[in-house]
Amino acid sequence: MNKIFLYLYPIKEFANVFFLGNEYYDANNFKRPFDVLNEAIEKRYRDKGYQVVYILYPDKEIFGITPKKNDKIIFTDVTFKEATRSTGLNTGEEVKYPNEQLIINQLGEVEELFIGGYHAQDCVKRIGEKALQNGINTLIDLDLTDLFFSLYRHEEYFNVEKYDPERFRAFMIKKSSRYGEAFAIDLFNRNYQSSVYGFNDCQHRVR
């Protein structure tokens, strides 16, 4: 079975929105995030027989991730500039999303796909939903999206060796429960209603 872990857009421009600098983490006795991220990719995916694939814009270099010998890098059909026109970086022109089908095609034959990277509720979700439409068994590893930078510091939650959707759901609802349990559940359901997150499936894919 061809199993792939796909990580979207590990570039400095996206990472620096969340990354506070190693000096901050060292001063506050936190593990350095990219050390943990690389370890999680290794233990959750490479060690379990997954091909690790990164998507980059053709005009950007990889940042924060340390590719290994058998990892693969593929590229979008749009540049970073074209993809960020509506973010304030390049105002006045409409954003152009990468062609999701072209990305899926570059993966070749794949039966099981996990996805991480930037951003959980935008590009990651779009590609995940396209993979599902192609009949690929797909799930977003929300721990390893842009949410990672806050989640990994909760040692009672974050497991470097595996992603558990139900554990994620319970953790996020608990975080919002100060506003009431009903509110927390409704908020979670609204944020993660897409099938690619796996919360509306009877069976979750947990390794």
Side-chain angles (χ1 to χ4, degrees), residues 9 11 21-22 41 65 96 140 159 185 201:
Y9 314 132
I11 63 173
N22 284 330
I41 292 173
I65 299 288
K96 185 176 181 181
I140 292 175
N159 182 344
I185 293 172
D201 294 338

Side-chain angles (χ1 to χ4, degrees), residues 151-165:
L151 290 175
Y152 92 95
R153 289 191 273 175
H154 295 274
E155 294 184 0
E156 77 285 1
Y157 164 75
F158 192 84
N159 182 344
V160 75
E161 296 188 358
K162 124 177 139 169
Y163 172 61
D164 182 338

Side-chain angles (χ1 to χ4, degrees), residues 1-5 48-52 110-113:
M1 182 171 70
N2 190 18
K3 305 186 297 182
I4 290 177
F5 172 64
K48 295 175 182 175
Y50 287 77
Q51 166 78 65
V52 177
V110 53
E111 296 179 46
E112 184 174 306
L113 178 66

